[in-house]
Amino acid sequence: MTLLGPWLNFYQDPWFWQFPIATIAISTGTFVAFAIPWTLLAWFNPKAIQKYKIQDKEFEFKQFFWPSIGRLFTNNLAMLGILILSWPLIKLTPIHMGEMPAWYFIIPQILFFIFMDDFLYYWMHRYFHENKWLLKNVHSVHHRIRNTCGINGNYMHWIEFCATASLMLLGPVLIGAHLYVVWIWVVIRQFEAVDGHAGYDIPWNPAHWLPVYEGPVYHDFHHAKFKGNYAGFLPYLDRFMGNTYVADYLSYLKGKKNGLTPLAIAKALKVKRPAAKTTDQAT
Ligand SMILES: [Zn+2]
Ligand SMILES: [Zn+2]
């Protein structure tokens, strides 16, 4: 009974509602909020923005819209289960609701989370591709979609989803962040998850203001070509980790510098979808 105590009473602990539950709610809510405009855009695919589409083919809307919603639900449910099971340990982490740090501490903390998460994600993602079992049984789910739109961002195996979410929490746990700072970071991380799958490289995407980010095109080429471009968000890592860029992605950047539209480059590069499963099969 004493051993089971922390589990039996977890739901009576206000910190349980403030930390894991509120964080999951914010995470899911912001993902959906960021995904809605990009998904609507992909759905209607208005003529005026078709020239900004990264791949010269239709979105896989019919096959993967509802499966994406389904997996968003089941993946978050799996994460909730893990958080409940590990609650006695999570309670011990130094994440807190004490005094809010000054903005000049918050900004470096957030930058640390972004760069550390992206670095770890690069290696985890590369391992998902190098380990045959993980690739076949886990990561291949996310790769069923070759031409993604916003809502597809969390379409993945629950093991990959939980590993990605845990990676995200590592930075805040390491430095003992304030919970509100964790929430700011969660919002940014979900922005990353949606933007990388947007499917369009639109000049007025606010993400282009970010200095070290190239926009959705970086991760889009990972889906189109399967090998290379392993970081989650920041394209600089592939350069330093043995030049793991997708070759066509570098050609794309050159074409863009020369003033070509994404669609013109896609036609020139023939960014075609390799043969793939097109249904959401149980894993
Ligand atoms: Zn991958
Ligand atoms: Zn992806």
Side-chain angles (χ1 to χ4, degrees):
M1 187 67 187
T2 0
L3 269 176
L4 287 175
W7 277 287
L8 292 176
N9 296 323
F10 71 87
Y11 55 87
Q12 289 178 329
D13 185 347
W15 187 226
F16 174 77
W17 296 97
Q18 284 170 323
F19 179 12
I21 299 297
T23 308
I24 280 201
I26 290 168
S27 168
T28 315
T30 48
F31 174 80
V32 171
F34 286 134
I36 284 173
W38 284 117
T39 309
L40 285 173
L41 213 57
W43 188 12
F44 292 111
N45 193 25
K47 224 177 161 81
I49 62 151
Q50 282 173 10
K51 61 180 178 220
Y52 299 124
K53 201 166 176 311
I54 299 165
Q55 295 184 46
D56 182 21
K57 64 181 81 75
E58 298 206 345
F59 286 107
E60 293 153 272
F61 217 85
K62 264 190 200 149
Q63 302 100 303
F64 290 107
F65 177 76
W66 287 112
S68 293
I69 303 283
R71 280 188 187 260
L72 182 65
F73 182 73
T74 50
N75 284 346
N76 278 293
L77 214 60
M79 192 62 204
L80 184 65
I82 287 174
L83 289 170
I84 290 174
L85 282 175
S86 54
W87 179 235
L89 275 176
I90 293 167
K91 259 178 93 158
L92 300 176
T93 65
I95 290 173
H96 66 93
M97 252 316 212
E99 203 185 326
M100 187 74 175
W103 65 268
Y104 46 83
F105 284 118
I106 295 177
I107 291 173
Q109 283 181 3
I110 299 276
L111 285 174
F112 170 67
F113 299 158
I114 292 174
F115 279 90
M116 197 188 82
D117 174 73
D118 207 58
F119 177 80
L120 294 175
Y121 183 84
Y122 174 92
W123 286 108
M124 185 180 82
H125 188 192
R126 205 168 141 173
Y127 189 66
F128 273 139
H129 279 261
E130 283 166 7
N131 181 298
K132 285 201 166 80
W133 187 90
L134 280 173
L135 181 61
K136 184 168 179 266
N137 297 293
V138 178
H139 191 52
S140 61
V141 173
H142 188 59
H143 276 286
R144 283 176 193 161
I145 315 178
R146 304 295 171 119
N147 189 10
T148 60
C149 69
I151 198 70
N152 304 140
N154 275 343
Y155 179 90
M156 60 186 77
H157 194 286
W158 68 269
I159 291 179
E160 181 174 344
F161 181 86
C162 295
T164 309
S166 308
L167 219 60
M168 180 182 78
L169 282 175
L170 208 61
V173 167
L174 272 178
I175 66 161
H178 191 283
L179 187 62
Y180 289 165
V181 181
V182 179
W183 290 347
I184 298 170
W185 160 228
V186 165
V187 170
I188 293 171
R189 185 63 185 79
Q190 291 298 30
F191 166 79
E192 294 179 7
V194 171
D195 201 76
H197 296 94
Y200 294 99
D201 189 13
I202 297 177
W204 36 264
N205 179 353
H208 284 304
W209 296 334
L210 300 167
V212 277
Y213 181 53
E214 285 288 353
V217 67
Y218 171 75
H219 190 65
D220 200 287
F221 269 88
H222 178 69
H223 277 271
K225 294 291 174 178
F226 192 65
K227 273 186 180 168
N229 289 16
Y230 293 117
F233 191 58
L234 305 170
Y236 76 99
L237 280 167
D238 295 88
R239 183 179 309 150
F240 299 108
M241 305 299 170
N243 196 9
T244 51
Y245 284 119
V246 174
D248 278 355
Y249 163 71
L250 298 176
S251 311
Y252 177 94
L253 294 183
K254 265 189 208 159
K256 213 176 145 188
K257 253 190 188 161
N258 292 331
L260 293 173
T261 63
L263 192 66
I265 306 170
K267 280 185 196 292
L269 289 173
K270 292 194 174 58
V271 183
K272 288 232 162 70
R273 173 156 49 108
K277 287 176 190 172
T278 51
T279 51
D280 180 68
Q281 293 154 347
T283 48

